[in-house]
Amino acid sequence: MKFSLLYSDIANASFGNIGSKTLYHLSLDRSFKTICSSKSECQYFLEILSKPLVQERDILYRQEIVSDFLKMPHFFEALKASFIEFGKLKEDAKELKKEIHARNFGIRSSLGGSKESVRDCSALLKRILRYIKELDCLLDEYPITAEGLLAISRYTSSLVEKEDMNRLVALLNQAESLCIQPNIGTTIKLDKNGKVSDCHLVESKNLSSETAKEKKRLILRKESATNLSYICLQPPIYSDCQNKLRAYPYLEMENLLMSLITGLIDAFGDLHREIIFYSVVMEYVRLLERKNISLVMPSIGESTQFTGITDIFLAMTNDTDTIVTNDFYMLGDKKGSIIFGDNGNGKTVFLRAISTCQILAQAGMPIPVKSGKIGLFNTIKTQFSESEETVVSNEKMGRFEQEVSELCHLIDTSESGSLLVLNEIFQTTAYSEGAIGLYHILNYLSAKNIGWILVSHLTDLKEYFKEQNISIYEMEKNHRVTQIQ
């Protein structure tokens, strides 16, 4: 069993992908950079965003965990600290494996090295068991309801409640003691073929004369089927045989303890890293709440519908008094949407707000809307018109040719159920040619069951798509959007 805070079934996790430039085009990197505590934290968070959830159960799974954390912020901070401590245990286990390998590499040092390994494994396993007890107390202290957290709680409780756990701790103390006592001997039992079948550690003072007789019987054996005299087993010719035999029980203990350590460490998986995602989510929620921006957990359906949508980048980097909210609807039977408007009216900001809310919603996060519902897309990709400086670097293609090439690549690599976000492409071609070309491309996307949202200045598209099953919006000078179809 392996637990995860990000996926309901980590072994069969299912997620889509975000285009390589999408997070950059939508300024998500700059938005969350302002609240992440480090570059690595921001990179990890963006990595999670780049893998949108495509199963409703996984989105609800994360939403439940976020909701528990938001209701109990003190619990979140305590759990975060706990998982950070687990991360240290995981790193210590990794280092211990390296040390054990180094100790056991040489034959002559096998006995001393194995003793040290048993001692260190015992100490680390006790720390892990103590951690599990503390984690169980923490999870039991708060009224958690999220299935992902309850599953961890049930697991820790099942371990803590077992009497075997206390017995194991006692045995670990005994093992540590054996490793530091100098008067420990080894009893070895051979099978009928003269091979070692069993081996035990005993205190030398407990070796009686009876034990000495037993030793003699181990060295001398009599063939039962004949009257042959006793056969003396010749000792091996290499000098370190005794050392290897004495090390044998320690090696067995070492292997057993390391298997227990590995099993417990693996069960908690990457919880110490996954909590980073929720840490950023908590900071994001706190920031928007301080700015009195409405946040809701979106429901999941066949269509995408946002009311009172706020652009995340503006909300997280500017004064919210100047932000205008709008509504957006892309019903399940409509494959695409077009947004028209003059330059500077806010078309790109509106497109960014829609797209970022879709991505955050498919990451299981609350989004800045008054009400929200999303349809699910397995991939989300963007194409934004590049600046002249970017195009100049490619001497063989002009802006139009480059845009056509990129759009062809997006289409060829997009499957049914994808979403393409297109911003002001085909600006430099002839007005009428650009419009008719886009019209045929967008119809092709719809035929392939690929959703699309387009911001464009090519108003001829209104006539081409008249009475077709798409949404058309007009952005006014006051940054308000009106749906005209």
Side-chain angles (χ1 to χ4, degrees), residues 63-179:
Q63 287 182 350
E64 290 176 354
I65 294 175
V66 171
S67 296
D68 268 2
F69 288 160
L70 291 175
K71 288 185 294 185
M72 299 176 288
H74 293 295
F75 166 64
F76 168 76
E77 294 298 335
L79 189 64
K80 179 181 176 181
S82 175
F83 286 158
I84 290 174
E85 180 63 27
F86 167 73
K88 295 177 182 177
L89 289 173
K90 188 171 184 178
E91 190 61 30
D92 288 345
K94 183 179 178 180
E95 291 300 317
L96 180 57
K97 286 183 180 180
K98 292 180 181 179
E99 291 177 10
I100 288 175
H101 177 74
R103 290 168 183 169
N104 295 337
F105 187 79
I107 294 177
R108 294 184 182 279
S109 61
S110 59
L111 176 60
S114 295
K115 281 187 174 183
E116 290 180 14
S117 296
V118 170
R119 179 198 63 200
D120 294 345
C121 285
S122 299
L124 178 58
L125 186 52
K126 285 199 299 182
R127 286 172 57 201
I128 293 173
L129 295 176
R130 184 166 58 248
Y131 168 79
I132 291 174
K133 284 186 177 182
E134 292 171 354
L135 177 60
D136 181 63
C137 290
L138 173 61
L139 293 170
D140 191 54
E141 184 180 349
Y142 293 88
I144 56 178
T145 59
E147 178 55 34
L149 298 173
L150 288 172
I152 300 173
S153 179
R154 288 192 293 266
Y155 176 71
T156 56
S157 294
S158 69
L159 294 178
V160 171
E161 291 170 2
K162 288 182 179 178
E163 181 60 31
D164 290 346
M165 190 169 188
N166 293 328
R167 291 178 57 241
L168 179 57
V169 172
L171 289 172
L172 292 174
N173 289 330
Q174 185 179 358
E176 282 188 287
S177 176
L178 285 173
C179 292

Side-chain angles (χ1 to χ4, degrees), residues 5 10-11 38 43 62 90 123 135 144 159 173 219 227 237 283 287 293 341 377 385 393 402 408 462:
L5 294 178
I10 185 64
S38 66
Q43 288 177 337
R62 285 192 198 172
K90 188 171 184 178
L135 177 60
I144 56 178
L159 294 178
N173 289 330
I219 296 176
N227 275 330
I237 59 174
E283 287 299 320
L287 175 61
I293 294 176
F377 297 99
S385 60
S393 64
Q402 184 172 327
C408 288
K462 293 180 184 179

Side-chain angles (χ1 to χ4, degrees), residues 217-397:
R217 285 197 294 270
L218 288 174
I219 296 176
L220 304 175
R221 68 183 177 89
K222 184 176 182 180
E223 296 290 346
S224 59
T226 67
N227 275 330
L228 295 177
S229 59
Y230 286 98
I231 298 174
C232 180
L233 300 179
Q234 296 298 324
I237 59 174
Y238 51 90
S239 60
D240 55 16
C241 175
Q242 184 181 12
N243 192 34
K244 289 183 68 176
L245 290 175
R246 291 177 63 195
Y248 183 82
Y250 292 99
L251 289 171
E252 289 294 297
M253 292 172 63
E254 169 197 308
N255 291 334
L256 174 61
L257 293 174
M258 185 52 68
S259 68
L260 292 173
I261 290 171
T262 301
L264 292 172
I265 290 292
D266 288 348
F268 290 100
D270 291 324
L271 297 179
H272 62 298
R273 291 196 69 212
E274 293 177 343
I275 198 70
I276 293 173
F277 170 79
Y278 292 95
S279 181
V280 178
V281 172
M282 294 291 283
E283 287 299 320
Y284 152 80
V285 170
R286 292 187 188 112
L287 175 61
L288 296 192
E289 285 182 342
R290 287 197 299 268
K291 296 188 175 185
N292 297 315
I293 294 176
S294 175
L295 284 164
V296 300
M297 286 291 192
S299 59
I300 302 167
E302 297 297 324
S303 60
T304 295
Q305 304 176 44
F306 300 133
T307 62
I309 185 172
T310 298
D311 178 55
I312 291 173
F313 178 71
L314 293 180
M316 297 178 73
T317 59
N318 294 277
D319 189 346
T320 57
D321 292 339
T322 61
I323 296 178
V324 176
T325 62
N326 283 294
D327 302 339
F328 176 79
Y329 303 91
M330 190 163 71
L331 302 180
D333 59 341
K334 294 189 176 184
K335 301 299 182 183
S337 301
I338 305 178
I339 304 167
F340 293 108
D342 294 335
N343 291 337
N345 283 2
K347 302 187 301 298
T348 299
V349 172
F350 184 47
L351 178 68
R352 185 173 63 197
I354 298 166
S355 305
T356 52
C357 280
Q358 181 71 37
I359 291 173
L360 298 188
Q362 284 194 233
M365 294 172 57
I367 56 176
V369 297
K370 292 181 179 178
S371 66
K373 181 179 181 181
I374 60 165
L376 300 180
F377 297 99
N378 50 40
T379 64
I380 302 173
K381 300 179 180 180
T382 56
Q383 183 179 3
F384 280 39
S385 60
E386 302 289 356
S387 64
E388 287 290 349
E389 292 78 7
T390 304
V391 177
V392 166
S393 64
N394 189 336
E395 297 178 357
K396 294 183 179 180
M397 287 192 293

